[in-house]
Amino acid sequence: MRKDVRILLVGEPKVGKTSLIMSLVSEEFPDEVPPRAEEITIPADVTPERVPTHIVDYSEAEQSDEQLYQEISKANVICIVYAVNNKKSIEKVTSHWIPLINDRTDKDSRVPLILVGNKSDLVEHSSMETILPIMNQYSDIETCVECSAKNLKNISELFYYAQKAVLHPTGPLYCPEEREMKPSCIKALTRIFKVSDLDNDGILNDNELNFFQRTCFNMPLAPQALEDVKNVVRKNMTDGVKDNGLTLKGFLFLHTLFIQRGRHETTWTVLRRFGYDDDLELTQEYLFPLLKIPPDCTTELNHNAYLFLQSVFDKHDKDRDCALSPEELKDLFKVFPYMPWGPDVNNTVCTNEQGWITYQGYLSQWTLTTYLDVQRCLEYLGYLGYSIINEQESQAAAITVTRNKRIDLQKKQTQRSVFRCNVLGARGSGKSGFLQAFLGRNLVKQKRVRDEHKSYYGISTTYVYGQEKYLLLHEVLPDFEFLSEADLACDIVCLVYDISNPYSFEYCAKAYKKYFMDSKTPCMIIGAKSDLHEVRQHYSLSPLDFCRKHKLHPPQLFTCNTADAPSKDIYTKLTTMAMYPHAKLRCMCTCNRCTFCICQNLLNSELLRSVKARLVTAVLNRHMTQADLKNSTFWLRASVGATVFAVLGFAMYKALLKQR
């Protein structure tokens, strides 16, 4: 809604423009009327719509044509005043004033007009018979009011209608000639109906109607009032009510009825509650609420957001197969002005055998969007009506901004749920296959992916110590000289080489030495296509020796040429390394038992303390019998046992260090 309203009064001399303004302000007819009233401002707290209102007078004697044109361009609504006892002033409405105003305003954004018949106290007849044909001829005319500045008849109503014409205009909603709502209004109300239809059955039942009523007007409808509304629809159309609920046709009919009866403020209240502006477009403030993201922080969906997205998925998964068919996905996005997900999304997340996005893949794509482009995520949640359905101030309430990554490193722990792994490697090294394998696709399934539908991202869940985490893989294009900050900003780097190509590892070695050798980002080297014959790499050091020299984890062999879905162990290791980058993986073993090595390093730090504490507690609990409690030597034995256990643990820790 506009923050203020500017009303301009124009008309022939002596029709009473200035008298109308002065009568409104003083609530009495002035004895002396100046040639022109100064601009006045009515405070918001004394206007019906709680909006400041500026009233501007025009005097042909005191103002030039240029000044008039400027006032017309600034006005939100123009009142054309005529005297009901002066036929010439009525004729001037169509012969002079309306053409003049239309010439000075843009055709696509015409200013609403109100015809004001003043001096009704001087005649016994009404001018409406003369005015109605004019109103039918010009669609810009919102309404006509007959009033009297002398006896204060309809003065307050005049300026209320003027204010209403700006705040609740009829033009964007309704076409008087066709006697039906405009397409843009139907489109907006259709989206509102679909958002309010919480079970997606095409009907607003009593609970949904009450939620809608409470959302828009802050009060529910009484049961009898609900029945009265449905009875009005039943009387006027056969398919407006179904199974005792309101259909889309019935919903649109009700709003058409509101507009035709002059209650279009009801429709505008609904539209504005759901984020629409005067042009029936969703406002920028609604779609993109303010969200501050400090440097080195990431964005994730919180628990309430996932619950909301789950409910959206459930209401569109008609066949309950935990996947969205193309038709179901299209139905879900009908509340969007465009289709947000292209065919590449099906190659970014997990799908079923038919290639349809699964429930897990659906949540993964939302997680990806939130992480990479949180503004787009806010926009999408706005289309779905998140803030309305969840009764939040805005969809920014769905976002968690993680703490600075440096703090995570200092505290050696993180509460983040999404970790980014950038995958680098020479062309043909197997990066794309590595991404697709994460989504459960072996080489046979990967060959079905069309080049134009290829995705450079892959996201799914992994489990680290029983916690579900999202691992986001990003394939970086192999342009060695031009790696951007985005290509380097991640939680872990995966350097992929083809073990069957003697020139493949060189790219990984150079990339590591140039970009990652001095960084704190953990790196893992992957030997892809391990089902093929391994050849000697044409580099000064073998991959294993290179890892030893730079104190990296040994190269991990990987292949996606499997009969079933490729193993996900390597992705769990990557997620673990991303979660605990402080655990320096310097184990030089060649057994590829990386998870064991990681666990040992974690035990050296925070987990060592917690494991010791748990084991001591277990020993105490095991031996704490009622007899022991009575025995005074129990505490001595417990203390000695705990001390011995701690000494043994420390000895094992030193032995492991010495072995490495």
Side-chain angles (χ1 to χ4, degrees):
M1 188 181 290
R2 290 182 179 274
K3 294 182 179 180
D4 61 357
V5 174
R6 190 175 181 85
I7 303 171
L8 173 64
L9 275 68
V10 299
E12 294 300 295
K14 306 296 183 182
V15 294
K17 302 184 295 296
T18 308
S19 299
L20 288 170
I21 297 173
M22 298 187 71
S23 294
L24 174 72
V25 175
S26 62
E27 296 186 348
E28 62 180 4
F29 186 70
D31 295 330
E32 294 184 7
V33 181
R36 175 174 172 265
E38 294 295 325
E39 178 181 329
I40 66 167
T41 299
I42 303 176
D45 56 355
V46 298
T47 61
E49 298 293 341
R50 301 291 177 183
V51 176
T53 302
H54 310 281
I55 302 176
V56 181
D57 192 11
Y58 165 70
S59 172
E60 185 178 338
E62 292 197 354
Q63 292 176 282
S64 64
D65 289 346
E66 189 60 36
Q67 288 175 309
L68 172 61
Y69 302 153
Q70 289 178 2
E71 290 297 346
I72 289 173
S73 66
K74 291 190 291 184
N76 302 129
V77 58
I78 299 175
C79 296
I80 304 177
V81 184
Y82 63 90
V84 295
N85 63 340
N86 185 338
K87 290 186 177 180
K88 185 177 180 182
S89 68
I90 298 176
E91 292 171 358
K92 283 283 189 175
V93 170
T94 54
S95 64
H96 175 69
W97 289 109
I98 293 179
L100 173 68
I101 293 168
N102 287 343
D103 287 343
R104 295 292 164 178
T105 54
D106 186 37
K107 185 177 181 181
D108 296 328
S109 57
R110 288 282 169 82
V111 179
L113 306 177
I114 293 181
L115 302 186
V116 181
N118 193 22
K119 304 185 180 182
S120 63
D121 58 293
L122 299 179
V123 296
E124 295 182 357
H125 60 84
S126 172
S127 63
M128 285 301 171
E129 290 186 5
T130 308
I131 296 302
L132 282 175
I134 299 175
M135 291 182 64
N136 293 331
Q137 183 180 354
Y138 296 96
S139 59
D140 302 337
I141 300 174
E142 287 282 326
T143 188
C144 176
V145 183
E146 285 192 347
C147 58
S148 169
K150 188 171 184 179
N151 59 21
L152 306 184
K153 177 186 175 183
N154 288 341
I155 301 298
S156 297
E157 288 79 359
L158 157 63
F159 291 101
Y160 168 70
Y161 288 135
Q163 193 181 55
K164 185 177 173 181
V166 177
L167 302 178
H168 311 300
T170 308
L173 307 180
Y174 189 73
C175 180
E177 294 84 1
E178 302 292 333
R179 294 186 60 79
E180 61 183 26
M181 284 192 295
K182 291 185 175 179
S184 57
C185 182
I186 293 174
K187 182 180 177 182
L189 290 173
T190 300
R191 170 185 166 265
I192 291 170
F193 180 90
K194 286 190 68 65
V195 169
S196 304
D197 184 11
L198 301 179
D199 55 9
N200 198 35
D201 63 351
I203 299 169
L204 295 184
N205 58 38
D206 286 358
N207 289 332
E208 290 166 340
L209 281 171
N210 260 318
F211 180 80
F212 170 82
Q213 176 76 12
R214 192 172 64 253
T215 298
C216 296
F217 305 103
N218 297 319
M219 61 172 62
L221 280 173
Q224 187 56 49
L226 271 175
E227 284 304 313
D228 292 343
V229 167
K230 287 183 276 191
N231 286 334
V232 169
V233 177
R234 286 190 187 100
K235 289 178 182 178
N236 288 274
M237 58 192 319
T238 56
D239 51 356
V241 177
K242 181 181 177 183
D243 297 335
N244 203 36
L246 204 61
T247 66
L248 175 60
K249 287 185 177 180
F251 184 74
L252 295 175
F253 167 78
L254 273 181
H255 284 282
T256 304
L257 199 62
F258 291 145
I259 297 167
Q260 289 175 342
R261 293 183 178 180
R263 291 178 53 195
H264 35 280
E265 65 270 17
T266 303
T267 300
W268 274 115
T269 300
V270 171
L271 289 166
R272 291 198 172 104
R273 178 65 184 90
F274 279 78
Y276 289 92
D277 62 14
D278 290 349
D279 298 319
L280 297 186
E281 297 288 342
L282 290 171
T283 65
Q284 294 296 296
E285 292 79 9
Y286 172 79
L287 290 177
F288 305 104
L290 182 64
L291 181 66
K292 293 182 179 180
I293 306 171
D296 291 329
C297 297
T298 59
T299 46
E300 301 176 359
L301 293 167
N302 59 32
H303 179 65
N304 288 334
Y306 279 117
L307 289 179
F308 170 77
L309 292 172
Q310 177 183 343
S311 68
V312 173
F313 182 95
D314 289 341
K315 86 176 194 177
H316 290 92
D317 183 19
K318 294 290 191 181
D319 52 10
R320 296 290 181 262
D321 63 348
C322 289
L324 294 176
S325 67
E327 293 76 21
E328 290 170 339
L329 198 64
K330 186 178 179 182
D331 184 48
L332 189 154
F333 289 127
K334 277 184 178 178
V335 294
F336 285 57
Y338 55 87
M339 184 66 180
W341 293 359
D344 60 309
V345 173
N346 295 60
N347 299 314
T348 304
V349 298
C350 295
T351 57
N352 62 11
E353 290 298 324
Q354 296 163 288
W356 300 348
I357 296 174
T358 62
Y359 170 70
Q360 183 60 58
Y362 164 83
L363 292 182
S364 296
Q365 179 61 25
W366 278 100
T367 304
L368 172 78
T369 306
T370 308
Y371 186 94
L372 295 179
D373 191 351
V374 68
Q375 291 299 316
R376 180 153 294 189
C377 176
L378 292 173
E379 177 189 357
Y380 291 174
L381 289 173
Y383 293 139
L384 291 173
Y386 174 84
S387 61
I388 295 161
I389 301 302
N390 275 30
E391 300 182 74
Q392 299 286 342
E393 185 176 346
S394 74
Q395 52 268 31
I399 307 299
T400 295
V401 179
T402 65
R403 70 184 179 187
N404 192 298
K405 190 176 177 181
R406 289 196 299 271
I407 299 177
D408 285 351
L409 292 172
Q410 290 170 4
K411 292 184 177 291
K412 297 183 179 180
Q413 60 180 358
T414 182
Q415 296 180 353
R416 291 163 57 200
S417 298
V418 186
F419 298 91
R420 176 168 177 163
C421 172
N422 283 354
V423 182
L424 288 81
R427 197 175 302 278
S429 59
K431 300 187 298 298
S432 299
F434 186 71
L435 264 67
Q436 291 299 307
F438 185 36
L439 307 178
R441 297 173 188 137
N442 58 21
L443 192 61
V444 174
K445 292 182 178 179
Q446 291 179 25
K447 289 180 179 179
R448 301 172 190 164
V449 178
R450 297 164 60 178
D451 289 340
E452 61 268 28
H453 297 164
K454 179 182 176 181
S455 173
Y456 291 97
Y457 290 94
I459 183 170
S460 189
T461 54
T462 61
Y463 285 86
V464 178
Y465 304 116
Q467 300 179 60
E468 184 183 61
K469 302 294 180 182
Y470 282 94
L471 180 63
L472 166 58
L473 301 179
H474 171 46
E475 179 183 343
V476 179
L477 294 176
D479 192 349
F480 180 77
E481 299 297 332
F482 299 100
L483 292 181
S484 66
E485 289 187 11
D487 295 331
L488 303 175
C490 58
D491 300 300
I492 184 169
V493 174
C494 189
L495 298 165
V496 180
Y497 74 97
D498 177 0
I499 68 168
S500 66
N501 182 348
Y503 302 99
S504 185
F505 179 72
E506 183 179 10
Y507 178 94
C508 297
K510 289 183 176 180
Y512 175 80
K513 292 169 71 175
K514 181 172 182 179
Y515 296 107
F516 306 109
M517 188 165 66
D518 298 323
S519 76
K520 294 183 180 179
T521 306
C523 296
M524 180 181 283
I525 292 179
I526 305 291
K529 306 181 184 180
S530 62
D531 57 300
L532 302 178
H533 176 67
E534 185 173 5
V535 298
R536 182 178 178 276
Q537 294 294 317
H538 288 186
Y539 187 70
S540 57
L541 294 172
S542 70
L544 180 59
D545 291 337
F546 181 88
C547 291
R548 283 175 174 164
K549 178 180 178 181
H550 295 284
K551 299 180 180 179
L552 295 172
H553 210 35
Q556 304 295 296
L557 299 181
F558 178 82
T559 180
C560 56
N561 189 9
T562 56
D564 299 319
S567 171
K568 283 195 172 184
D569 289 347
I570 188 70
Y571 305 105
T572 302
K573 297 169 187 175
L574 286 169
T575 311
T576 308
M577 290 175 66
M579 285 181 66
Y580 302 104
H582 59 279
K584 299 177 181 178
L585 306 179
R586 296 184 178 179
C587 176
M588 291 297 106
C589 69
T590 57
C591 64
N592 290 333
R593 294 178 63 189
C594 315
T595 305
F596 173 78
C597 300
I598 291 171
C599 287
Q600 291 301 322
N601 281 281
L602 291 173
L603 284 171
N604 294 345
S605 54
E606 62 204 45
L607 288 186
L608 181 61
R609 292 189 296 273
S610 65
V611 168
K612 282 182 180 178
R614 289 180 184 178
L615 287 173
V616 170
T617 303
V619 170
L620 292 174
N621 289 338
R622 185 174 181 181
H623 296 285
M624 192 181 293
T625 63
Q626 191 171 3
D628 289 327
L629 288 172
K630 294 178 181 178
N631 193 337
S632 61
T633 62
F634 164 74
W635 296 109
L636 177 62
R637 286 187 282 116
S639 301
V640 171
T643 304
V644 171
F645 187 86
V647 171
L648 288 174
F650 183 76
M652 291 176 62
Y653 165 67
K654 296 292 287 183
L656 285 170
L657 281 182
K658 188 175 181 180
Q659 182 181 357
R660 286 204 292 270

